Amino acid sequence: MIDEDTLLGVLNTTPVVNGRTQDLWADDADVRQWAREQGDRGDIASLEWLRTARDVLQTATRGSLPEAEMRRMLADVHRLPEVSEAGLQWHLQAPPERMLPVELVLTWYDVRERRPGRLRPCGNDECHLFLLDRSRANTARWCSMKTCGNRLKARRHQERARRTATP
């Protein structure tokens, strides 16, 4: 199963670089390599479903759940119980090309349930990245204090300085 750090990494595959959105999964070879590292075949159908899952989860994390797309991804997906000496385990069944994308969706829902409000977009409107706030107070605002946090704090400081310097 996909962990929350891997999910965050997927959500953050469309960073803004020099003012332009980049898609780190635009090249099939890049997304295929990632998929294979996760144990997926990385065939063309799987790559398209992975990109769709990423886009849907980014939209949902920003606030509006694309229900029709989510239903389409989760169609014909089942979790079946298996009882053994070790206890109850649930096994995911999905079409092969959607197994990894479905795992991403299930991890996203799990994070939203276990950590409500903590998976969110960066507070910098010019940034397209996401953060998972693990702080006790749930007050993190930026994907990175080094980049977005410092930039916004410096910008606000300069604005205040300009206002006080102007007679």
Side-chain angles (χ1 to χ4, degrees):
M1 190 57 126
I2 300 292
D3 64 26
E4 59 190 28
D5 290 324
T6 302
L7 169 66
L8 188 60
V10 169
L11 291 173
N12 287 335
T13 58
T14 55
V16 173
V17 178
N18 297 325
R20 295 180 54 136
T21 301
Q22 306 294 311
D23 185 349
L24 303 180
W25 279 8
D27 186 339
D28 284 350
D30 294 332
V31 69
R32 181 175 288 116
Q33 178 182 344
W34 182 89
R36 287 185 175 157
E37 288 170 1
Q38 306 307 313
D40 191 80
R41 300 186 324 234
D43 60 15
I44 291 296
S46 179
L47 303 184
E48 290 308 312
W49 280 107
L50 281 167
R51 289 181 180 113
T52 298
R54 184 229 12 221
D55 296 347
V56 166
L57 295 176
Q58 285 177 336
T59 300
T61 304
R62 286 189 180 99
S64 62
L65 181 70
E67 291 181 37
E69 285 293 318
M70 195 68 83
R71 282 191 193 100
R72 193 169 73 87
M73 278 193 307
L74 296 175
D76 302 319
V77 172
H78 307 282
R79 273 192 164 167
L80 299 173
E82 184 177 296
V83 177
S84 70
E85 294 281 332
L88 178 68
Q89 292 184 333
W90 292 91
H91 293 279
L92 184 62
Q93 289 187 343
E97 70 277 3
R98 280 191 278 143
M99 185 64 83
L100 189 54
V102 165
E103 287 182 10
L104 282 168
V105 169
L106 294 177
T107 300
W108 182 84
Y109 272 106
D110 180 61
V111 169
R112 299 285 289 210
E113 186 176 300
R114 284 185 306 102
R115 298 175 180 265
R118 291 183 177 259
L119 180 61
R120 56 183 175 262
C122 178
N124 178 356
D125 293 336
E126 297 168 9
C127 178
H128 288 185
L129 298 182
F130 298 86
L131 66 115
L132 180 58
D133 188 351
R134 293 181 174 103
S135 71
R136 180 173 285 203
N138 193 23
T139 56
R141 296 176 57 195
W142 302 290
C143 63
S144 166
M145 189 59 191
K146 279 195 271 186
T147 54
C148 289
N150 280 344
R151 282 184 201 148
L152 290 174
K153 285 183 174 188
R155 193 176 300 155
R156 282 195 298 256
H157 173 74
Q158 290 169 353
E159 288 171 5
R160 282 192 306 272
R162 268 187 245 131
R163 274 188 253 131
T164 57
T166 309

